[in-house]
Amino acid sequence: MAERGIVILGSGSLTRSICYSLAAVCAAECVVTVVSTTPSSSAEVCYVADVRAASSGTPVRFRALSADRYAAESISSILRQTRPRIVLNCASYQSPWEKTRSPSAWTALMNSAGFGLTLPLQAAVAIEAASAIAALDPPPLFLNACFPDAVNPLLKTLELPIFCGVGNVALLAASLRESLRPARGGRLQVLGHHWHLHTPDHAADEALAWLDGTPVREVGPLLRRQRAAARSELNAVTGHVTALLLADLVTGREVRTSLPGPLGLPGGYPVRIYGRSLALDLPADMSPAQAVALNSAWAERDGVSVEENGEVRFSAWASLAIRSELPDFPNAVHARDIPELCSRLLDLRGRLRRTRAASADHH
């Protein structure tokens, strides 16, 4: 594999935010390849990022490649051509903010069933990418940005490669760092789940944080500004934090941070990365078993959990909500059946998107 190089799958708003920040912060000579099924979109991202890099005086360069679809064969061909150190997946079949931009009966169903219902739509491209990476020797590091708290454990049960995710707990950690403003070099550790992007009903269910080994009290109020911001705006933060991580990873620098889905674990954890190795970096009063148990409990509240045996279980309320449209929707499926379930949900979404959300009918 090339010593330095990044392939990013997808050309949506998160990819744009990552590339635009990476152009300004990456001091290493590096080629970032943006792969999209919409050539004009990836070309536009790379143009803007290249201009930002030139204006910032950084040596990073961007190039656009297209794929007819995000399938393992297409991705494999691109990876053999580019030989990257890192592959980052930002492509999925479901936008997290569709409900605010294009409300419909589909987004109403997501609201009632919970975000966990979209796991098959979030996982489909990641499975294809991981399958392509598994055939390479040595494989690049695979990072996933699409619901990594649940998708990464799913990849692990399928015995597919996964290094870590980005976003979610990393966004929580960035927001807490802004609120706490620790001294330079201060060590912030955050344990949290995608579910914590929203305020829990009970303070006891809040994400956990430690600053220099001491528990942070009243985490919820410290996250108030983040939780009040539009999700689409938060991509500017997630993208920047991810760019900083990538800039460190391409050079092999040691990193201590908090990331979702490290090595396929559910939820998000403090981690230490050194070279191609990753380990949990938990505070002294938190064991790995305790941390996983907490994240597994938080996953239930998000509407879906992935068991070590490969069983993907949807919560009772999520299953009940979707059975109004798909009466035979299962409570649980095996991870290997997720692509088929994705196809069924795509068909359902196509039909429901043509139906206005019930609330819109009363405006």
Side-chain angles (χ1 to χ4, degrees), residues 280-298:
L280 295 186
D281 187 32
L282 295 165
D285 61 350
M286 177 68 63
S287 71
Q290 288 174 309
V292 171
L294 281 168
N295 267 302
S296 296
W298 293 329

Side-chain angles (χ1 to χ4, degrees), residues 62-267:
F62 297 82
R63 66 176 172 182
L65 289 179
S66 62
D68 55 348
R69 59 194 182 100
Y70 294 117
E73 314 86 68
S74 302
I75 296 170
S76 178
S77 175
I78 289 170
L79 297 184
R80 292 182 188 281
Q81 173 187 343
T82 56
R83 298 171 59 82
R85 177 184 178 88
I86 299 164
V87 176
L88 170 61
N89 176 50
C90 294
S92 77
Y93 293 119
Q94 182 59 53
S95 166
W97 47 77
E98 179 181 348
K99 63 183 180 181
T100 57
R101 292 182 174 177
S102 303
S104 66
W106 167 254
T107 59
L109 177 61
M110 281 199 300
N111 284 340
S112 58
F115 191 76
L117 172 65
T118 71
L119 172 63
L121 304 177
Q122 303 289 340
V125 177
I127 291 172
E128 296 292 325
S131 299
I133 289 168
L136 300 177
D137 185 23
L141 300 179
F142 182 39
L143 283 64
N144 172 46
C146 301
F147 199 11
D149 303 65
V151 171
N152 290 14
L154 185 146
L155 295 176
K156 181 182 179 182
T157 66
L158 293 173
E159 299 183 345
L160 291 171
I162 183 62
F163 190 67
C164 64
V166 300
N168 299 346
V169 75
L171 172 60
L172 299 177
S175 298
L176 288 172
R177 185 168 292 279
E178 184 279 327
S179 294
L180 295 167
R181 297 284 175 153
R184 186 174 180 83
R187 188 178 177 193
L188 179 64
Q189 298 160 289
V190 182
L191 187 78
H193 194 276
H194 168 269
W195 180 66
H196 288 115
L197 295 181
H198 303 283
T199 305
D201 292 332
H202 305 288
D205 295 326
E206 188 57 89
L208 303 177
W210 297 258
L211 181 58
D212 295 328
T214 301
V216 175
R217 301 187 182 278
E218 300 293 331
V219 168
L222 297 176
L223 294 172
R224 188 172 294 130
R225 293 177 69 197
Q226 175 200 305
R227 288 167 171 166
R231 288 288 299 274
S232 55
E233 287 298 306
L234 292 175
N235 262 3
V237 179
T238 296
H240 188 67
V241 172
T242 301
L244 294 172
L245 173 66
L246 293 175
D248 285 335
L249 292 182
V250 294
T251 59
R253 279 196 295 267
E254 180 177 335
V255 180
R256 290 181 184 269
T257 187
S258 298
L259 294 171
L263 304 178
L265 292 176

